[in-house]
Amino acid sequence: MPSYADSNGDGYGDFKGITSKLDYLQDLGVKGIWLTPFLKSPKVDNGYDVADYYEIDPTYGNKQDFDTFLKEAHKRGIKVIMDLVLNHTSKDSQWFQEAKKSKDNPYRDYYIWKDKPNNWESFFGGTAWELDVTNNQYYYHKFDVRMADLNWSNPKVVDEVQKILQFWLDAGVDGFRLDVINFLTTDGILADNPMKDGNQQHLYDIDQSGVKEAMKMIKATVNAYPNRFIVGEIGSDKIQVLKQYQSEELLDVVFNFNFGSIPAFSAERIFNELQSMEKVMSNYPTLFFGSHDMPRMMDRLADGNLEKASALAALIFTAKGVPFVYYGEEIGMHNIIAHSFEEIADIQGKTHYQLALQKRKTPEEALLEGNKNNRDKSRSPMQWSANEFAGFSIEKSWIKVSPDFKDNNVEVLRKDKNSIFYKYKELIALRNKEKVLQYGKYDRLEFKDNQILYTRSFEGERITVIVNFGKPTKIELPKGAKILLGETHLRTNKSIIYKH
Ligand code: GLC
């Protein structure tokens, strides 16, 4: 949200800005947009710290700007899902402000309080409990200390969430991306988590039995409206855990970070994940290699190689699943590197920097540590042109612009038919056209010689895809096959897609 297009020169993206880019997105073939949080927030965590579930943050515009954006998106056949953060609120939320006043405040039980902390850890580092001196009790925060966890064992919280969902569905959104949704503290069990080999086992703070009840309520509420969609962010590296949340009465699809956020490239690992999703999950998996929480795939997986990045794109648009593309991947955007503590804007990066200092690391070591965890490296402004601030804003930018923007931007790449931008465009057009690529089941899914190879079929049509991360080879096509993209002399980091 903050990095796409700034219409008023305040340095932050906004609804008017995105609205002005809808033609671009339509031309690219995009069918849906997931917006990161845009609700009122002090934005200590990129808006994932919501202060008011019914108000649009003025930085991004007003309700009318939102309505116009939604209407214009729909006009172009583009659906819009919003990111909903239901695990915690900002401490600035009226609910928390009330809750903290006294132990008998009607909002007290909207949050989780304890006289003495247990051993639960925050996912951003350190303890998850903070003393509130007003009443001498600790409140629970699974993430930043300025974000307090909602108490999902309180039916009033469940009712509030239902109203919030209905409000935004009535406003016309096409669905939700549910933030850290398996982290909800639903069962009121606040026992210490066991430790194993020095690591905390999240036995009582995540994946509690009540999480499914919460999801059921959410899904039933959403299902009352036609053609809506839910994707859940499930923090788990276990495919069996992911699988249990994906069902008709829970979530439509879930993100599998074992696939999407692999730390380094490995064709075999990517294949193994595809295979395990196929074996274990009953519905479509999600296919993605980037988000606002991880280093850009261009650097993390493609080593700056445009062909490799395009081959990875070929995979996510043709394998079985729902593809998600992080803005700027279509122009091969890179990470930005912070050169000082001040340049790290992200709380997670800052927390890790400070923890490193506490561990008596030198400022240089602390900067490395902070940079490693600095999620802002993938949040630099979208590169629209060679103009100042990459055409993102006319005045300034809340975060630094990637230094390569002069050569690497939409305006330049659109003029080059061999650019990564055109590869994305071709792939998206193909996926939008071919039902097999949207709905087809796998007839085979194989890995050999560093090639990922699959055939998918639907209603009597068959498409085979070979993504080659190995040596150059010559592909023998079956008789009568028709090449849709690519060529039979399959070079390294190239793909071929044919119908037969
Ligand atoms: C999710 C978001 C991340 C945020 C966290 C806490 O993981 O993607 O950006 O920091 O939730 O809300």
Side-chain angles (χ1 to χ4, degrees):
M1 200 60 222
S3 300
Y4 206 59
D6 170 21
S7 74
N8 62 1
D10 68 355
Y12 286 88
D14 47 44
F15 278 114
K16 281 196 175 129
I18 312 185
T19 308
S20 73
K21 302 299 182 188
L22 284 170
D23 285 340
Y24 165 79
L25 291 166
Q26 186 184 22
D27 173 60
L28 187 60
V30 167
K31 294 288 175 201
I33 299 173
W34 147 25
L35 296 169
T36 58
F38 52 80
L39 300 177
K40 196 151 178 239
S41 158
K43 296 198 264 329
V44 295
D45 184 13
N46 192 29
Y48 284 90
D49 45 329
V50 176
D52 188 329
Y53 285 105
Y54 297 98
E55 285 285 320
I56 287 178
D57 194 283
T59 316
Y60 302 131
N62 55 32
K63 182 71 175 22
Q64 200 188 331
D65 299 334
F66 170 80
D67 289 341
T68 309
F69 161 71
L70 202 59
K71 199 173 90 213
E72 292 298 319
H74 286 164
K75 233 197 241 170
R76 290 166 178 79
I78 299 175
K79 303 211 183 238
V80 177
I81 63 169
M82 70 186 275
D83 213 322
L84 212 50
V85 191
L86 302 173
N87 178 69
H88 47 265
T89 72
S90 160
K91 279 180 73 184
D92 289 6
S93 159
Q94 269 299 315
W95 296 348
F96 190 83
Q97 289 306 313
E98 282 298 315
K100 113 189 198 104
K101 282 185 184 158
S102 66
K103 286 186 182 170
D104 55 11
N105 187 284
Y107 288 90
R108 186 76 177 174
D109 285 343
Y110 274 41
Y111 297 89
I112 299 160
W113 302 90
K114 226 175 174 308
D115 292 332
K116 263 172 85 198
N118 63 15
N119 73 345
W120 293 4
E121 289 165 353
S122 156
F123 278 80
F124 286 167
T127 171
W129 296 92
E130 179 75 4
L131 182 66
D132 179 60
V133 286
T134 336
N135 292 286
N136 237 355
Q137 276 196 317
Y138 292 80
Y139 66 88
Y140 177 54
H141 63 91
K142 206 172 312 253
F143 294 90
D144 189 69
V145 61
R146 288 157 291 181
M147 294 153 37
D149 274 45
L150 285 166
N151 176 11
W152 274 80
S153 56
N154 178 356
K156 283 197 194 136
V157 167
V158 179
D159 286 350
E160 293 277 10
V161 169
Q162 189 169 33
K163 276 192 236 140
I164 294 163
L165 291 164
Q166 284 162 343
F167 178 84
W168 288 105
L169 289 161
D170 287 335
V173 299
D174 298 288
F176 302 99
R177 178 257 189 196
L178 299 176
D179 190 60
V180 291
I181 199 65
N182 62 324
F183 285 28
L184 304 181
T185 309
T186 51
D187 296 4
I189 307 169
L190 301 180
D192 272 358
N193 278 323
M195 302 293 287
K196 197 173 154 201
D197 306 327
N199 291 320
Q200 186 155 126
Q201 308 298 298
H202 296 283
L203 210 61
Y204 299 114
D205 56 345
I206 66 174
D207 293 315
Q208 300 305 287
S209 55
V211 165
K212 283 190 187 156
E213 282 313 305
M215 284 178 185
K216 268 187 203 159
M217 177 282 285
I218 295 172
K219 187 70 156 80
T221 309
V222 172
N223 275 357
Y225 297 72
N227 290 325
R228 311 292 160 121
F229 171 77
I230 303 179
V231 52
E233 182 196 26
I234 305 292
S236 174
D237 54 7
K238 296 186 188 68
I239 187 103
Q240 294 296 346
V241 172
L242 298 178
K243 172 205 156 95
Q244 52 164 340
Y245 294 123
Q246 191 163 313
S247 79
E248 292 223 333
E249 51 171 13
L250 301 174
L251 308 175
D252 293 314
V253 293
V254 298
F255 288 130
N256 173 9
F257 293 98
N258 294 330
F259 178 85
S261 62
I262 48 168
F265 179 78
S266 154
E268 189 170 6
R269 190 152 166 207
I270 290 173
F271 169 78
N272 286 343
E273 275 307 317
L274 277 181
Q275 199 180 40
S276 95
M277 292 192 287
E278 173 61 10
K279 274 196 192 141
V280 175
M281 293 172 102
S282 48
N283 204 341
Y284 293 109
T286 52
L287 301 167
F288 66 102
F289 287 123
S291 84
H292 62 293
D293 286 332
M294 58 184 92
R296 284 201 173 261
M297 80 164 207
M298 185 50 132
D299 301 302
R300 199 178 87 244
L301 303 178
D303 313 313
N305 179 328
L306 288 162
E307 294 202 323
K308 199 166 181 183
S310 306
L312 288 165
L315 193 89
I316 66 163
F317 289 120
T318 60
K320 183 178 137 191
V322 183
F324 285 80
V325 173
Y326 186 48
Y327 77 90
E329 275 171 15
E330 76 277 22
I331 55 166
M333 272 174 65
H334 288 274
N335 289 327
I336 49 165
I337 307 292
H339 294 295
S340 65
F341 173 65
E342 288 68 37
E343 279 191 3
I344 303 176
D346 173 41
I347 42 165
Q348 200 180 22
K350 282 196 153 69
T351 312
H352 281 268
Y353 177 96
Q354 274 148 352
L355 287 174
L357 282 185
Q358 277 167 24
K359 284 187 193 144
R360 297 186 185 283
K361 298 219 168 148
T362 64
E364 291 74 27
E365 286 167 339
L367 184 62
L368 272 181
E369 203 49 40
N371 247 326
K372 203 168 81 202
N373 294 288
N374 179 14
R375 297 169 302 173
D376 276 342
K377 56 162 92 71
S378 63
R379 297 174 183 174
S380 64
M382 177 67 183
Q383 294 161 209
W384 295 105
S385 71
N387 294 345
E388 212 184 347
F389 305 109
F392 155 76
S393 170
I394 41 161
E395 287 275 342
K396 56 181 174 210
S397 163
W398 71 279
I399 189 174
K400 73 180 189 184
V401 178
S402 174
D404 69 348
F405 77 94
K406 289 231 151 103
D407 306 312
N408 202 14
N409 61 62
V410 170
E411 208 171 278
V412 166
L413 298 196
R414 266 181 146 175
K415 289 189 192 126
D416 174 4
K417 292 268 179 216
N418 292 316
S419 66
I420 184 166
F421 172 79
Y422 272 93
K423 300 271 162 9
Y424 266 80
K425 228 183 128 162
E426 277 172 352
L427 285 163
I428 297 173
L430 191 66
R431 188 187 164 93
N432 287 344
K433 180 164 165 252
E434 299 292 346
K435 288 230 159 49
V436 188
L437 297 182
Q438 295 166 28
Y439 308 112
K441 63 171 181 51
Y442 285 125
D443 292 346
R444 62 173 176 160
L445 174 60
E446 288 164 17
F447 184 66
K448 69 167 185 4
D449 305 330
N450 258 333
Q451 293 174 2
I452 299 177
L453 185 153
Y454 39 87
T455 298
R456 298 179 60 196
S457 66
F458 184 72
E459 291 179 344
E461 294 213 311
R462 260 192 320 170
I463 290 181
T464 289
V465 179
I466 306 172
V467 188
N468 182 24
F469 296 110
K471 290 199 199 100
T473 51
K474 169 107 180 20
I475 303 296
E476 298 295 338
L477 290 188
K479 238 184 156 176
K482 181 178 164 238
I483 297 181
L484 301 174
L485 269 183
E487 44 193 78
T488 50
H489 283 91
L490 197 57
R491 288 192 282 125
T492 311
N493 294 325
K494 289 280 188 184
S495 57
I496 181 166
I497 306 170
Y498 59 86
K499 206 177 227 181
H500 54 119

